[in-house]
Amino acid sequence: MTEKILILDFGSQYTQLIARRIRELHVYSEIVPCTKIPEITDDIKGIILSGSPFSVSAADRPAFQIEQILNKKPILGVCYGAQFIAQHFGGVVQPSSKREYGRAFLHIQDRDCPLFYGVDDESQVWMSHSDTVMQVPKGFHVTAKTASIDVAAYAADNGTFQYPLYCIQFHPEVTHSTEGKKMLENFVVGVCGCTQSWTPESFVEETVAHIQKTVGDDQVVLGLSGGVDSSVAAILLNKAIGQRLISIFVNNGLLRKDEFHTVLHSYHDMGLNVVGVDAEDEFLQALHGVSDPEQKRKIIGKVFIDVFEREAKKLPNVKWLAQGTIYPDVIESVSVHGPSATIKSHHNVGGLPDKLNLKVIEPLRFLFKDEVRLVGETLKLKHEILHRHPFPGPGLAIRIIDAITKERVRIVQEADAIFIHHLKQSGWYDQVWQAGAILLPVQTVGVMGDERTYENVVALRCVNSTDGMTADWSHLPHGLLAQISSDIINHVKGINRVVYDISSKPPATIEWE
């Protein structure tokens, strides 16, 4: 049984970061909406209440019953969580006359508080709140303050509750809180007693055993994309059930140049039982002349389901559909007020399990992207697949900002291939998060030899990021960009101009559509 820290989400933008920091301590953490608290079982060693964009006095604040967790496990309230606890037990919480955003410095008042063991006085922390605890409830005491607020942290007195309860009005999970990770470690390891045994190796061992127990002697079908998530899922399943995993790799005609054959050979070399389906003509025919990005996504999703269903029905005795779903996809589908309003259509499976009458297994559904890569390294997945840049589900369809035609696909594939080749050759590929070429719906005047041309423009997009939530444009050397531009214009028929996108996310997105 894997021990875990339960994180109750009140809608904070930092909630996922709390989970990441705890997992960096080799302790498994799980995020659940504060409105859907599970049974507090023995494997739960502690509970963290996240921050929130809401005020504790707001009428529309998330509905939360603290009695469901009180006196059951150690509790840490962060920001909104701290304010909720103070208000609930009779303390005073008010809109602050001294709003505290950004860096502040702790003055530790209670050196015996386990949360601050090994933490320096004047330690820098990161504040982000408009309400503040003015007075702690009876049975609690202040453990730290700052120059601006008198209650930066507080705790329940010994004997007030069966288990320790600590509260802080700053965010220990962000890097600006310089000893925040130490404070989280003090809570998770020191107070909750977690053994820090959750590693990629232990995850593989437990997951393989779980797959074997769940699937039994049944066969499993998996849709491979060539990306990290589905590839790691395939290797995990293959380790558990071997050739009873049948993977289907569909060429939708919108992959990178020569990628279908290259990746298919890689999968075969890895010992996977893979069926390659070249459905390029089927996809491009359905997409011909379509320019609306959401319509492109829907068409690609529908055709993929048709192709996958057709191929899967050729396989006898398949009982399970495996998917490379990862944790951000799971979290994105559930919020403190119910399902998220918008999930891009290529993120879900479009009813495949029901259409095929299959049960679903998702071996990576509780991992973040960086954790998936660590598991892949443990499984000795090939470097070129494991460290492949993220690639959009609809492929090059959303990198053609115009109607889809076979000729436009050719142009963007060739330009993209030159771009990626130069990044790899120069050593930049592994230094950036994602790169690709975008074909614009623009033609410009050019001169080639003695002839005037009127041809297409390609934009190059290259960004640095850790999780795709935010991104900054990559500062590639000017000489490298000049060489890439020259090669694209000289070797890709139909392009006479190359531009470089220097927009960050936000406000721009990584992809153009």
Side-chain angles (χ1 to χ4, degrees):
M1 180 169 58
T2 301
E3 61 187 13
K4 64 184 174 186
I5 296 295
L6 194 67
I7 301 170
L8 304 188
D9 180 23
F10 290 85
S12 170
Q13 61 178 324
Y14 297 130
T15 303
Q16 287 193 36
L17 201 50
I18 299 175
R20 282 176 174 273
R21 292 290 175 260
I22 293 171
R23 289 176 180 210
E24 288 170 4
L25 298 168
H26 301 299
V27 175
Y28 177 65
S29 58
E30 188 170 324
I31 299 170
V32 297
C34 62
T35 52
K36 297 181 180 178
I37 302 171
E39 180 186 355
I40 307 303
T41 49
D42 289 343
D43 58 329
I44 296 171
K45 300 301 181 184
I47 301 169
I48 296 178
L49 279 58
S50 83
S52 177
F54 296 95
S55 166
V56 291
S57 59
D60 63 344
R61 74 181 189 187
F64 169 59
Q65 303 299 321
I66 195 170
E67 290 76 17
Q68 292 180 264
I69 62 171
L70 202 61
N71 285 317
K72 295 183 179 180
K73 299 289 176 180
I75 294 172
L76 173 63
V78 176
C79 211
Y80 176 92
Q83 294 155 8
F84 181 95
I85 289 169
Q87 185 183 68
H88 180 83
F89 290 106
V92 178
V93 181
Q94 294 178 352
S96 177
S97 59
K98 302 175 183 176
R99 288 190 172 196
E100 200 160 64
Y101 292 95
R103 67 176 51 84
F105 299 92
L106 281 186
H107 301 290
I108 298 172
Q109 305 297 293
D110 179 6
R111 265 290 161 200
D112 292 327
C113 177
L115 215 58
F116 300 129
Y117 287 173
V119 174
D120 295 332
D121 201 30
E122 297 290 322
S123 183
Q124 178 179 295
V125 294
W126 195 256
M127 297 284 185
S128 179
H129 59 93
S130 54
D131 286 346
T132 194
V133 177
M134 306 297 292
Q135 181 180 322
V136 300
K138 184 178 180 181
F140 293 78
H141 65 279
V142 176
T143 57
K145 63 182 182 179
T146 71
S148 298
I149 57 174
D150 292 330
V151 186
Y154 68 96
D157 298 338
N158 291 334
T160 300
F161 301 107
Q162 184 177 346
Y163 289 93
L165 193 160
Y166 305 101
C167 293
I168 54 180
Q169 287 204 99
F170 54 87
H171 289 275
E173 68 276 17
V174 302
T175 55
H176 302 296
S177 292
T178 52
E179 294 181 277
K181 191 172 179 180
K182 175 64 178 172
M183 297 177 208
L184 288 174
E185 184 177 16
N186 285 341
F187 176 73
V188 168
V189 180
V191 174
C192 300
C194 292
T195 59
Q196 297 179 281
S197 59
W198 194 69
T199 63
E201 291 78 12
S202 67
F203 173 83
V204 169
E205 184 180 339
E206 291 175 13
T207 304
V208 165
H210 174 73
I211 292 169
Q212 291 170 337
K213 182 179 178 181
T214 303
V215 171
D217 295 326
D218 295 341
Q219 287 192 319
V220 179
V221 65
L222 166 71
L224 280 169
S225 68
V228 175
D229 303 335
S230 67
S231 299
V232 172
I235 295 294
L236 259 178
L237 285 154
N238 184 66
K239 186 176 177 67
I241 63 172
Q243 296 297 295
R244 285 187 288 117
L245 169 69
I246 303 108
S247 299
I248 297 175
F249 182 36
V250 177
N251 179 20
N252 59 12
L254 299 161
L255 302 174
R256 286 187 154 126
K257 185 178 180 182
D258 300 327
E259 188 170 40
F260 177 60
H261 298 291
T262 302
V263 173
L264 191 58
H265 284 306
S266 292
Y267 283 141
H268 286 146
D269 291 344
M270 286 153 45
L272 295 179
N273 183 6
V274 184
V275 177
V277 182
D278 192 346
E280 177 179 355
D281 291 341
E282 199 168 338
F283 278 89
L284 293 186
Q285 185 176 349
L287 285 164
H288 187 80
V290 176
S291 57
D292 178 75
E294 189 57 24
Q295 193 178 355
K296 290 175 186 176
R297 286 186 169 90
K298 288 178 178 176
I299 290 170
I300 291 166
K302 180 184 182 305
V303 177
F304 175 80
I305 290 172
D306 292 343
V307 172
F308 192 92
E309 182 182 11
R310 185 171 68 231
E311 294 299 322
K313 284 183 174 178
K314 296 177 184 177
L315 306 172
N317 305 319
V318 170
K319 302 290 178 64
W320 295 85
L321 172 68
Q323 297 176 173
T325 308
I326 63 174
Y327 204 34
D329 302 328
V330 176
I331 297 169
E332 192 177 70
S333 66
V334 183
S335 73
V336 296
H337 286 312
S340 299
T342 303
I343 301 174
K344 288 179 181 176
S345 50
H346 65 275
H347 278 179
N348 54 46
V349 294
L352 258 179
D354 294 335
K355 291 191 74 167
L356 294 171
N357 194 28
L358 298 177
K359 293 174 282 187
V360 174
I361 187 164
E362 298 170 316
L364 306 178
R365 69 177 280 111
F366 293 116
L367 296 187
F368 289 103
K369 186 71 134 186
D370 52 337
E371 294 167 337
V372 172
R373 285 198 166 99
L374 290 173
V375 168
E377 287 177 358
T378 299
L379 293 166
K380 296 181 169 50
L381 186 63
K382 286 188 173 184
H383 179 90
E384 59 265 29
I385 291 180
L386 188 59
H387 294 281
R388 180 179 184 255
H389 287 177
F391 191 64
L396 298 177
I398 59 168
R399 292 185 180 174
I400 298 170
I401 317 300
D402 205 342
I404 304 295
T405 67
K406 195 161 187 172
E407 174 63 6
R408 287 183 180 136
V409 172
R410 176 198 66 79
I411 290 173
V412 77
Q413 278 181 334
E414 292 185 5
D416 177 85
I418 291 171
F419 186 21
I420 299 301
H421 168 76
H422 278 289
L423 289 178
K424 288 181 176 179
Q425 192 177 53
S426 63
W428 273 92
Y429 185 85
D430 288 333
Q431 297 182 50
V432 300
W433 165 266
Q434 186 172 341
I438 299 97
L439 183 62
L440 306 186
V442 174
Q443 289 186 310
T444 64
V445 173
V447 176
M448 290 186 177
D450 294 327
E451 295 182 8
R452 175 188 170 98
T453 62
Y454 195 62
E455 293 181 330
N456 298 284
V457 179
V458 156
L460 304 180
R461 183 75 161 136
C462 189
V463 299
N464 290 77
S465 181
T466 54
D467 54 15
M469 301 298 290
T470 61
D472 193 14
W473 61 279
S474 303
H475 294 241
L476 299 180
H478 292 178
L480 177 60
L481 286 171
Q483 189 178 8
I484 294 167
S485 173
S486 176
D487 278 4
I488 289 174
I489 291 170
N490 287 332
H491 293 96
V492 183
K493 185 179 178 182
I495 295 175
N496 69 354
R497 191 177 299 269
V498 175
V499 298
Y500 189 54
D501 183 347
I502 59 170
S503 311
S504 295
K505 177 186 180 182
T509 53
I510 294 176
E511 298 293 343
W512 280 42
E513 286 192 334

